[in-house]
């Protein structure tokens, strides 16, 4: 049987209740054929089989207000009756204008203008090109280099894969990625890479010095910018940087006239409990350019955005005065109407406060359940980290207690993800983020909707804890 015809647990898929895999004409992204979701309300998803799931990760940290919110549904229905599509080389549209104003006006002056894309990778492509356009138009044609970080993720297009460094995602394409213009420095991942003799300050200074050395190696006036995820998502699994890190990295950019660029596709738009992750997890340091996407549309539409600081806007205003970049579905009226409604719901229902409160409660419950004195998983729970509505639980099997376990070549995080899904909880397993080779690391990501309730948080902690315990018990030798 081809691997595409078995479930994550190695069994034939029977999402339609019949034995054996269901037929499909989609080349799926998973080694198994995923079940079909037929209905969803809030964070509950119903499958074709009738099984009900609770989504504790919002898909991929996307569905930030749950599904079927009446305010968003109404906005989408009204917009489809008004204007469903215009091409933005000819016409603009009202929801796009209003959304852009909301995004810039809620940034405390950090951003002056905004441009739209249809997702995170497109937004990051837009950032890469706009950063180059800025120097092209301000007469610094020699600036052609980007510096990003190892163990990062910026998207799945060729340029964003080149920019980022996610060992396994780039492997098949490494030979065609651009290594001339995209360079990498160390991740900011204290729990794994801070040396025992180093203080947090020392560690930050080492990373700052490494970035400066990379600038000098490339030629300081050839660097376009330094790019980082404010809180690392899909590689190390919810990795906030040490205190002072972003301030230090921005100081290097400023010293040499380069741009300081943040990718908040996953961590932004409220996910960390603040509108922008840099407000709470980035030393309050605003970037010159920023990409957002996942929580921007909350799953109701494919949308991303590029947020531009005064510096960028001033540079362009004195030259072409326009964004030399576009896509057919950019600023799509339906996507913008959906996103605008999502953002109004977050604001009007005061959801960021709820996200912070319930996030802190989730952290407390997870720590008690996974690291408590009688907890089966305590010896293997390496780290529980995050903030707001974004939490990573990292496991480690380097200790002597692991001698009694045998996962038979399977990855623990993926076993836990599969077990949880089978028992009604959607979570995200992530592997390979614990070393630079991408060969070690088991993290589970949790990203409940910002309107999650205390009872739902209790359910998440309990169901997740049960899955961790069940997988550990099933693999004891
Ligand atoms: C998901 C993600 C992307 C890519 O977004 P897509 O919408 O999947 O194209 C880029 N950067 C980060 C940090 C992400 O988490």
């Amino acid at each position: 049987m081809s691997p595409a015809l078995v479930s994550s647990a190695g069994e034939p898929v029977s999402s339609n209740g019949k034995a054996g895999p269901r037929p499909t004409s989609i080349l799926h992204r998973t080694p198994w054929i995923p079940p079909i979701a037929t209905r969803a309300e809030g964070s509950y998803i119903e499958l074709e089989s009738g099984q009900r799931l609770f989504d504790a990760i919002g898909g991929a940290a996307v569905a930030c207000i749950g599904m079927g919110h009446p305010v968003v549904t109404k906005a989408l229905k009204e917009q489809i009756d008004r204007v469903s599509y215009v091409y933005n080389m000819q016409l603009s549209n009202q929801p796009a204008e209003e959304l852009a104003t909301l995004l810039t006006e809620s940034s405390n002056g950090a951003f002056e203008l905004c441009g739209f894309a249809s997702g995170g990778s497109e937004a990051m492509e837009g950032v890469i090109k706009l950063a180059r356009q800025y120097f092209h138009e301000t007469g610094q044609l020699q600036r052609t280099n980007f510096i990003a970080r190892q163990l990062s993720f910026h998207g799945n297009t060729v340029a964003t894969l080149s920019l980022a460094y996610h060992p396994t995602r780039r492997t098949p394409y490494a030979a065609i990625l651009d290594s001339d213009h995209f360079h990498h420095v160390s991740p900011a991942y204290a729990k794994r890479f801070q040396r025992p003799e180093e203080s947090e300050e020392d560690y930050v200074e080492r990373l700052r010095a490494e970035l400066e050395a990379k600038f000098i190696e490339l030629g300081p006036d050839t660097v376009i910018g330094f790019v980082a995820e404010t809180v690392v998502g899909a590689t190390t699994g919810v990795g906030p940087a040490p205190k002072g890190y972003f301030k230090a990295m921005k100081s290097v950019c400023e010293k040499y006239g380069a741009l300081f660029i943040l990718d908040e596709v996953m961590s932004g738009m409220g996910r960390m409990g603040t509108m922008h992750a840099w407000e709470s997890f980035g030393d309050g340091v605003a970037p010159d350019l920023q990409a957002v996407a996942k929580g921007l549309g909350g799953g109701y539409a494919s949308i991303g955005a590029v947020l531009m600081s005064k510096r960028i806007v001033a540079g362009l205003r004195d030259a072409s005065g326009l964004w030399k970049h576009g896509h057919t579905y950019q600023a799509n009226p339906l996507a913008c109407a959906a996103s605008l409604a999502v953002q109004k719901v977050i604001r009007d229902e005061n959801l960021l406060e709820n996200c912070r409160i319930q996030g802190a409660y989730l952290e407390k419950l997870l720590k008690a359940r996974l690291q408590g004195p009688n907890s089966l998983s305590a010896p293997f729970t390496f780290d529980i980290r995050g903030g707001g509505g974004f939490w990573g639980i990292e496991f480690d099997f380097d200790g002597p207690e692991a001698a009694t376990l045998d996962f038979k070549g399977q990855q623990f995080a993926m076993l836990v993800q599969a077990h949880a899904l089978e028992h009604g909880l959607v979570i995200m397993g992530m592997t390979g983020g614990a070393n630079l080779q991408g060969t070690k690391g088991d993290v589970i990501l949790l990203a409940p909707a910002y309107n999650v309730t205390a009872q739902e948080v209790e359910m998440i902690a309990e169901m997740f804890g049960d899955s961790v315990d069940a997988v550990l018990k099933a693999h004891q030798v």
Side-chain angles (χ1 to χ4, degrees):
M1 199 183 287
S2 94
L5 301 178
V6 294
S7 76
S8 55
E11 270 116 40
V13 176
S14 58
S15 62
N16 55 6
K18 294 190 201 112
R22 64 179 172 83
T24 178
S25 303
I26 295 177
L27 178 60
H28 285 282
R29 293 176 69 186
T30 42
W32 57 89
I33 298 174
I36 291 172
T38 48
R39 291 187 72 81
E41 198 186 334
S43 294
Y44 288 90
I45 302 171
E46 198 177 301
L47 302 182
E48 223 175 18
S49 62
Q51 191 192 357
R52 248 176 127 220
L53 307 173
F54 183 86
D55 189 356
I57 177 69
V62 174
C64 58
I65 62 166
M67 287 187 267
H69 196 294
V71 170
V72 187
T73 318
K74 181 164 175 277
L76 264 168
K77 283 181 179 157
E78 286 176 3
Q79 187 59 41
I80 208 163
D81 285 336
R82 273 194 216 115
V83 179
S84 56
Y85 177 76
V86 285
Y87 184 42
N88 69 348
M89 284 295 281
Q90 295 143 356
L91 300 167
S92 188
N93 67 83
Q94 191 265 336
E97 297 287 347
E98 200 184 326
L99 178 60
T101 302
L102 182 147
L103 290 174
T104 50
E105 283 185 352
S106 60
S107 73
N108 275 327
F111 304 115
E112 187 175 349
L113 290 176
C114 143
F116 292 108
S118 297
S121 304
E122 254 192 32
M124 281 306 295
E125 287 270 349
V127 161
I128 292 168
K129 285 183 64 189
L130 185 58
R132 170 60 192 174
Q133 185 193 330
Y134 170 78
F135 285 117
H136 192 257
E137 297 195 0
T138 52
Q140 298 192 55
L141 300 178
Q142 81 288 353
R143 289 195 188 261
T144 54
N145 289 310
F146 286 89
I147 304 174
R149 307 183 300 176
Q150 290 161 322
L151 297 182
S152 61
F153 180 64
H154 295 303
N156 267 331
T157 62
V158 172
T160 56
L161 276 177
S162 303
L163 175 68
Y165 204 100
H166 182 284
T168 50
R169 281 180 209 197
R170 62 173 17 228
T171 299
Y173 317 102
I176 60 164
L177 297 184
D178 178 351
S179 55
D180 291 339
H181 304 103
F182 299 100
H183 313 272
H184 305 96
V185 290
S186 299
Y189 188 3
K191 192 91 186 170
R192 289 279 176 201
F193 297 105
Q194 184 178 333
R195 294 174 189 148
E197 72 278 10
E198 270 176 341
S199 68
E200 189 173 54
E201 256 173 32
D202 296 339
Y203 179 46
V204 167
E205 172 49 26
R206 172 156 65 88
L207 295 172
R208 189 208 62 76
E210 182 191 356
L211 180 64
E212 182 159 23
K214 186 57 101 178
F215 266 74
I216 290 163
E217 175 197 324
L218 295 168
D221 70 339
T222 71
V223 178
I224 292 177
F226 168 71
V227 185
E229 291 161 87
T230 315
V231 176
V232 180
T235 45
T236 60
V238 193
K243 231 196 188 107
Y245 170 79
F246 284 108
K247 213 168 156 215
M249 301 311 255
K250 187 172 183 182
S251 76
V252 177
C253 297
E254 282 175 337
K255 182 171 176 183
Y256 298 111
L259 301 177
F260 174 65
I261 299 170
L262 292 178
D263 178 348
E264 294 210 354
V265 168
M266 203 166 195
S267 60
M269 299 313 299
R271 182 46 65 194
M272 302 311 298
T274 49
M275 176 76 137
H276 302 297
W278 52 261
E279 293 172 297
S280 46
F281 285 82
D283 306 322
V285 174
D288 296 304
L289 274 173
Q290 179 176 318
V292 292
K294 290 183 168 106
L296 178 61
Y300 288 88
S302 305
I303 189 165
V306 175
L307 305 176
M308 309 165 196
S309 66
K310 289 188 175 62
R311 173 183 176 186
I312 298 291
V313 173
L316 301 184
R317 195 167 274 146
D318 294 341
S320 71
L322 51 88
W323 191 16
K324 292 182 176 166
H325 172 77
H327 293 285
T328 309
Y329 274 78
Q330 203 172 54
N332 177 267
L334 294 176
C336 291
S339 172
L340 181 62
V342 169
Q343 297 312 312
K344 284 181 178 170
V345 165
I346 293 171
R347 184 190 65 195
D348 298 345
E349 296 183 9
N350 200 20
L351 292 185
L352 295 190
E353 188 187 3
N354 186 66
C355 173
R356 292 192 296 269
I357 292 169
Q358 301 306 336
Y361 187 38
L362 180 62
E363 177 185 22
K364 191 177 134 209
L365 295 180
L366 288 172
K367 287 188 168 160
R369 175 70 204 247
L370 298 168
Q371 296 177 315
N374 299 318
S375 159
L376 188 64
S377 53
F380 315 109
T381 307
F382 178 74
D383 196 17
I384 295 176
R385 57 179 177 248
F390 203 30
W391 292 90
I393 302 94
E394 181 166 1
F395 298 92
D396 191 299
F397 300 94
D398 284 348
E401 295 90 344
T404 61
L405 295 168
D406 183 4
F407 298 117
K408 302 194 170 71
Q410 291 174 289
Q411 291 158 311
F412 180 73
M414 305 320 287
L415 291 169
V416 173
Q417 176 185 305
H419 184 280
L421 187 65
E422 275 161 38
H423 292 80
L425 186 72
V426 190
I427 58 176
M428 189 188 283
M430 196 82 64
T431 60
N435 65 14
L436 297 183
Q437 298 72 42
T439 53
K440 177 184 153 82
D442 285 284
V443 188
I444 297 289
L445 271 64
L446 300 176
Y450 307 164
N451 48 10
V452 68
T453 65
Q455 289 86 336
E456 288 167 342
V457 164
E458 287 160 10
M459 182 179 73
I460 294 168
E462 189 177 321
M463 291 175 79
F464 173 55
D466 287 350
S467 287
V468 169
D469 288 349
V471 172
L472 288 173
K473 278 184 195 142
H475 293 83
Q476 245 144 18
V477 288

